Amino acid sequence: MKKFLIFISSFFLLYMILQIGSGFILTMMYTPNTSIVDSQLSQEVVFGKSSSFSLVIPLLAAILSFFIARQVRLPTKKHK
């Protein structure tokens, strides 16, 4: 049960770090299209296309969490 808690907590932490990091990188790399004339601008907001890249972050977080949970050595109780 302790290993499961380590896995879940490390997964949550890694998932959040990877999501924030990828959002930061995608925001830094974004360049808006400014060639449109002001009169042709629409009021519609487009957030982008969905891609298979969105599956990479949870998968990477799960893999890293698995290895973290395996590497953690938990103290065992000694029975007398």
Side-chain angles (χ1 to χ4, degrees):
M1 184 68 174
K2 291 180 183 179
K3 290 241 183 202
F4 179 72
L5 291 175
I6 291 170
F7 173 78
I8 290 297
S9 57
S10 64
F11 175 78
F12 178 74
L13 202 69
L14 285 170
Y15 182 73
M16 296 315 273
I17 290 170
L18 290 172
Q19 282 288 357
I20 292 170
S22 69
F24 180 73
I25 291 169
L26 290 172
T27 302
M28 294 296 291
M29 292 174 37
Y30 177 74
T31 53
N33 185 5
T34 57
S35 64
I36 301 173
V37 180
D38 287 337
S39 63
Q40 295 177 350
L41 289 176
S42 68
Q43 297 299 321
E44 183 180 343
V45 178
V46 178
F47 288 103
K49 298 178 181 178
S50 177
S51 67
S52 62
F53 179 71
S54 61
L55 295 176
V56 172
I57 292 174
L59 184 63
L60 183 61
I63 291 170
L64 291 173
S65 297
F66 174 75
F67 286 117
I68 289 172
R70 286 191 65 183
Q71 294 298 320
V72 172
R73 303 276 185 227
L74 297 174
T76 57
K77 293 181 182 179
K78 293 183 181 180
H79 298 284
K80 293 183 179 184

